[in-house]
């Protein structure tokens, strides 16, 4: 049984491109992903940028914290974190958060050949902007990873002023993922006893008002789930996660991604990737490092997550051995790349360009181990379009 309805698309510019996919057949649950051979083969020796890549792939540095982005006058922000790509005419824009206080977000523009054409600040004077998510209407949701933090809706081009979206709740926000089918935004919470939420806007495309709900389920790693309204999204005097009896707890919510009636999110406290099957309202584990039975688990410190049009999931490590690992539609997990010489850092913000040929990501603290030493990379190569 091909269990997973893995990612078949990514949010690109003002639309969500979904490339179809195989839906879960039957009601049985299968074991989480297991160690195996990557479809891209093994990793070669580290290149000049200190990155180990499969054959046929190359890398370049596109920005460094505290330094101007090449060809622009914009100084790249410290501690680059969550990110996403947006179509921009024949080119695209890569957005990146800044996980310091004051934090915010910045973006870099590229033309159709991948040359940098501009960079700018798109959000300022916020706190520890960690991850976030793209919307189908072309905005970036930047999330504050602090107690009673907010979500800010920003313009990747920096033309329109950022707007704080109070209706999406006050808690330790991490990531967001838009579901254009159900017209909701999913939200993770970075607490050791955090919850998983969805926000239902009163009008799709306008996040100024709506209903915040929390996922309810049993204590197991698989089963059915329901949603319940959060009575007080301001989280005061009772924190948001403690307001609904039966809300399911997750150990440190991190990255979140949606496609093809499925949403995946990661929990760093137990090195898991969770999968919600939205057509039948069930959940299960897509990956758990403690359940890898054939050798050493390749993926630890699970963090940000994205996907490609082939249905492959790409999961970045916070620590571990500084890898981005791939989880394939046939439940194989393997390293896709590894950054060497940066053991005091973490990998953040993986995102594909609209054409799927370039992968962007950051090493938050680079070789120095300091937030001012962040490095943002681009990897180019023969990314597969079908699995």
């Amino acid at each position: 049984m091909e269990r997973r309805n893995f990612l078949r698309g990514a949010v690109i510019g003002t639309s969500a491109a979904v490339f179809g996919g195989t839906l879960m057949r039957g009601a049985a649950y299968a074991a989480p992903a297991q160690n195996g051979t990557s479809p891209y083969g093994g990793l070669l020796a580290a290149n000049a940028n200190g990155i180990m890549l499969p054959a046929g792939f190359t890398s370049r540095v596109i920005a460094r914290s505290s330094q101007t982005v090449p060809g622009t006058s914009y100084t790249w922000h410290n501690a680059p974190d969550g990110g996403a790509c947006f179509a921009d005419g024949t080119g695209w824009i890569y957005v990146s958060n800044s996980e310091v206080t004051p934090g915010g977000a910045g973006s870099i523009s590229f033309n159709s050949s991948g040359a940098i054409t501009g960079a700018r600040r798109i959000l300022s004077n916020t706190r520890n902007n960690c991850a976030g998510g793209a919307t189908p209407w072309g905005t970036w949701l930047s999330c504050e990873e602090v107690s009673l933090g907010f979500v800010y809706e920003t313009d990747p081009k920096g033309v329109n002023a950022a707007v704080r979206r109070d209706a999406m709740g006050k808690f330790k926000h991490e990531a967001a993922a838009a579901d254009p089918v159900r017209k909701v935004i999913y939200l993770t919470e970075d607490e050791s006893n955090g919850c998983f939420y969805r926000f239902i806007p009163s009008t799709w495309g306008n996040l100024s008002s709506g209903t915040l709900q929390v996922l309810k389920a049993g204590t197991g790693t698989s089963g059915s789930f329901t949603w319940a309204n959060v009575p007080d999204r301001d989280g005061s005097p009772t924190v948001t996660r403690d307001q609904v009896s039966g809300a399911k707890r997750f150990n440190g919510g991190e990255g979140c991604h949606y496609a093809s009636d499925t949403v995946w999110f990661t929990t760093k406290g137990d090195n898991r990737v969770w999968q919600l099957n939205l057509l039948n309202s069930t959940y299960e584990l897509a990956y758990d490092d403690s359940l890898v039975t054939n050798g050493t688990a390749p993926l630890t410190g699970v963090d940000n997550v994205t996907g490609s049009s082939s249905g492959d999931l790409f999961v970045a490590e916070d620590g571990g051995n500084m890898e981005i690992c791939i989880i394939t539609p046939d439940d194989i997990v393997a390293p896709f790349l590894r950054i060497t010489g940066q053991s005091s850092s973490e990998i953040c913000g993986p995102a594909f360009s609209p054409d799927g040929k370039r992968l962007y990501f950051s090493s938050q603290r680079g070789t120095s181990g300091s937030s001012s030493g962040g490095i943002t990379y681009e990897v180019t190569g023969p990314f597969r379009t079908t699995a």
Side-chain angles (χ1 to χ4, degrees):
M1 179 182 70
E2 190 173 78
R3 175 174 65 88
R4 292 206 174 85
N5 169 24
F6 260 83
L7 184 61
R8 294 293 192 268
V11 175
I12 299 173
T14 59
S15 64
V18 178
F19 297 80
T22 303
L23 300 179
M24 190 176 88
R25 302 189 184 107
Y29 298 97
Q34 294 293 314
N35 214 348
T37 301
S38 168
Y40 295 104
L43 301 182
L44 303 179
N47 61 20
N49 293 322
I51 301 179
M52 300 172 65
L53 290 163
F57 288 84
T58 59
S59 70
R60 67 166 172 159
V61 173
I62 62 167
R64 295 179 182 271
S65 295
S66 306
Q67 298 182 25
T68 56
V69 176
T72 79
S73 60
Y74 176 67
T75 300
W76 197 235
H77 49 266
N78 289 347
D81 205 284
C85 279
F86 298 83
D88 181 30
T90 59
W92 59 91
I93 297 173
Y94 178 67
V95 168
S96 170
N97 277 344
S98 176
E99 197 190 7
V100 291
T101 297
S107 68
I108 301 174
S109 295
F110 302 86
N111 64 18
S112 58
S113 64
I116 295 173
T117 59
R120 79 289 299 164
R121 192 73 156 175
I122 63 171
L123 177 66
S124 299
N125 300 319
T126 52
R127 305 164 295 169
N128 285 62
N129 297 79
C130 197
T135 69
W137 49 91
T139 59
W140 167 247
L141 302 180
S142 183
C143 298
E144 288 185 317
E145 188 196 0
V146 295
S147 178
L148 301 180
F150 291 99
V151 175
Y152 291 80
E153 187 171 14
T154 67
D155 175 10
K157 297 180 181 180
V159 175
N160 299 311
V163 179
R164 197 177 77 184
R165 295 304 187 188
D166 294 14
M168 301 183 76
K170 292 175 66 177
F171 54 88
K172 200 173 184 180
H173 285 279
E174 181 68 35
D179 177 351
V181 177
R182 289 151 203 87
K183 298 181 179 179
V184 302
I185 307 290
Y186 302 104
L187 301 161
T188 57
E189 182 178 26
D190 192 359
E191 299 276 6
S192 60
N193 62 341
C195 293
F196 187 79
Y197 304 87
R198 73 175 183 181
F199 177 68
I200 308 173
S202 300
T203 302
W204 185 235
N206 184 344
L207 303 179
S208 61
S209 65
T211 302
L212 183 66
Q213 296 184 324
V214 66
L215 185 140
K216 293 181 62 175
T219 58
T221 56
S222 64
S224 60
F225 66 85
T226 59
W227 299 97
N229 291 349
V230 174
D232 177 15
R233 62 191 174 207
D234 288 338
S236 178
T238 302
V239 294
T240 308
R241 62 187 179 279
D242 290 342
Q243 294 180 21
V244 175
S245 177
K248 186 165 180 61
R249 304 295 179 164
F250 296 97
N251 191 352
E254 289 287 335
C256 187
H257 211 101
Y258 166 87
S260 302
D261 299 309
T262 306
V263 61
W264 294 267
F265 63 96
T266 62
T267 49
K268 65 182 180 184
D270 45 20
N271 285 321
R272 287 171 169 173
V273 181
W274 298 83
Q275 173 181 326
L276 301 186
N277 305 303
L278 301 169
L279 290 180
N280 60 9
S281 295
T282 61
Y283 69 96
E284 59 183 309
L285 290 175
Y287 175 78
D288 184 332
D289 72 334
S290 68
L291 297 179
V292 172
T293 59
N294 55 343
T296 302
L299 173 60
T300 59
V302 297
D303 202 291
N304 291 170
V305 58
T306 193
S308 67
S309 61
S310 65
D312 296 313
L313 210 60
F314 288 75
V315 186
E317 290 185 336
D318 178 351
N321 53 357
M322 288 289 287
E323 290 180 344
I324 293 179
C325 288
I326 185 173
I327 303 178
T328 70
D330 52 357
D331 299 333
I332 295 297
V333 57
F336 169 73
L337 64 80
R338 181 185 303 162
I339 300 176
T340 63
Q342 300 184 32
S343 59
S344 296
S345 188
E346 61 185 272
I347 300 180
C348 307
F352 282 94
S353 59
D355 61 8
K357 296 179 180 179
R358 302 166 192 259
L359 175 65
Y360 295 93
F361 58 92
S362 294
S363 171
Q364 190 179 85
R365 296 176 293 280
T367 57
S368 70
S370 167
S371 61
S372 61
I375 308 171
T376 301
Y377 299 96
E378 174 194 85
V379 165
T380 304
F383 289 102
R384 61 183 190 165
T385 56
T386 57

